[in-house]
Amino acid sequence: MNLAGVYALIMLSTLFWGANFVLAGFVLGDISPQWSAALRFGLAALILLGVALSQKAPLAALIRQHGASYLTLGIIGVAGFNLLFFFALQTTSADNAALIMATNPLLTTFLAWLILGEHPGWQRLIALPVALLGVTVVISDGHLAHVLDLHIVLGDWLMLAANLCWAFYNVLNRRLMPKTVSPTVNTALIVSAGALVLLVVAGFNPQGLHPLSLQAGFAMAGLVIGGTVLAYLLWNTGIARLGAGRTALFMNLIPVFAMLSAITIGTYPTPMQLLGGAIVFSGLLISMIPYRKKPSVLLEAA
């Protein structure tokens, strides 16, 4: 596959992830956040395990050897992130949530510096506070003093926590992910571990599970097939071809696709969202300035 084809696959994965912010809203209209996350990843795990088995992967041996790593990554990057994600979307907009996630490459870079000792370079040190300023403008609707009012911006705070979970997952991924196992098999086992945790959590809220309406059912199918299985597999293909650092830059497209997806259901960005988004992208552009002394942090995706 040529380079243009690889770029197209990565962009398609970010399109799926951007659409997730809108699709999740339809599902949350019928079932609880716990069951929304559990069903999404439970169904996705079955599909991914089928793909892994078709590759004749020794799943039982891998679980015995690396089970603790898969469980840790599944708890943080699948269960923790997605529970916070679905709860956040109950009280914040898809646009806000996507813009908050746009800072994830920078946050991951900063955590990798603190935890792994990888110096991010001057441009990322400048870019991080710029991007966070943009997020603050968005979640406060331009009233910066309101950002500390938890009752007004609860969903945004939950999305910030989800963002932090994903950043920690990315850093721990580099340390814990088995390097000799294919990305598809690693993804299948991490998603399966996270799905098991989500199903246990959802089991404590049986009243939150109801039959899905036709609209919510189609949205769940989109979340499972496009926003989980295909997006993760395409993303891992990009990492294998381009390297994780270069691939991670495409995460910046997620809020763009989230806003475009929201427009299809009649939700348009506010002036403060546009302003905050512009500030976020200014920070992200600063972060893309090449740093030649050391390689940039690798952002692993699962």
Side-chain angles (χ1 to χ4, degrees), residues 256-280:
V256 176
F257 287 131
M259 285 188 179
L260 292 176
S261 298
I263 290 173
T264 65
I265 60 172
T267 301
Y268 297 91
T270 67
M272 285 299 104
Q273 286 174 330
L274 292 174
L275 174 60
I279 297 173
V280 168

Side-chain angles (χ1 to χ4, degrees), residues 95-265:
D95 290 346
N96 278 23
L99 284 168
I100 290 169
M101 280 303 297
T103 64
N104 190 266
L106 298 176
L107 183 57
T108 299
T109 299
F110 184 68
L111 288 178
W113 182 27
L114 293 180
I115 296 172
L116 302 178
E118 297 182 2
H119 194 281
W122 64 265
Q123 67 279 61
R124 289 174 178 82
L125 293 178
I126 296 173
L128 184 59
V130 173
L132 291 179
L133 173 62
V135 170
T136 303
V137 170
V138 170
I139 64 179
S140 67
D141 196 29
H143 304 287
L144 300 185
H146 290 179
V147 74
L148 298 179
D149 189 340
L150 188 63
H151 296 290
I152 294 177
V153 293
L154 177 60
D156 297 317
W157 281 102
L158 290 174
M159 200 63 218
L160 285 167
N163 190 22
L164 187 62
C165 276
W166 189 253
F168 270 111
Y169 165 80
N170 290 327
V171 174
L172 293 176
N173 197 316
R174 297 192 57 204
R175 181 170 290 177
L176 300 178
M177 180 76 79
K179 302 297 189 295
T180 58
V181 182
S182 76
T184 300
V185 175
N186 277 333
T187 299
L189 292 174
I190 291 171
V191 168
S192 298
L196 287 175
V197 175
L198 289 169
L199 287 168
V200 170
V201 172
F204 287 98
N205 182 34
Q207 66 274 20
L209 181 62
H210 306 283
L212 293 176
S213 65
L214 184 62
Q215 187 180 54
F218 277 116
M220 177 60 77
L223 283 170
V224 172
I225 298 172
T228 306
V229 175
L230 290 177
Y232 282 24
L233 291 176
L234 294 176
W235 187 260
N236 287 336
T237 299
I239 290 176
R241 289 293 303 273
L242 301 180
R246 289 174 65 190
T247 305
L249 297 177
F250 284 83
M251 284 188 71
N252 303 334
L253 294 173
I254 292 176
V256 176
F257 287 131
M259 285 188 179
L260 292 176
S261 298
I263 290 173
T264 65
I265 60 172

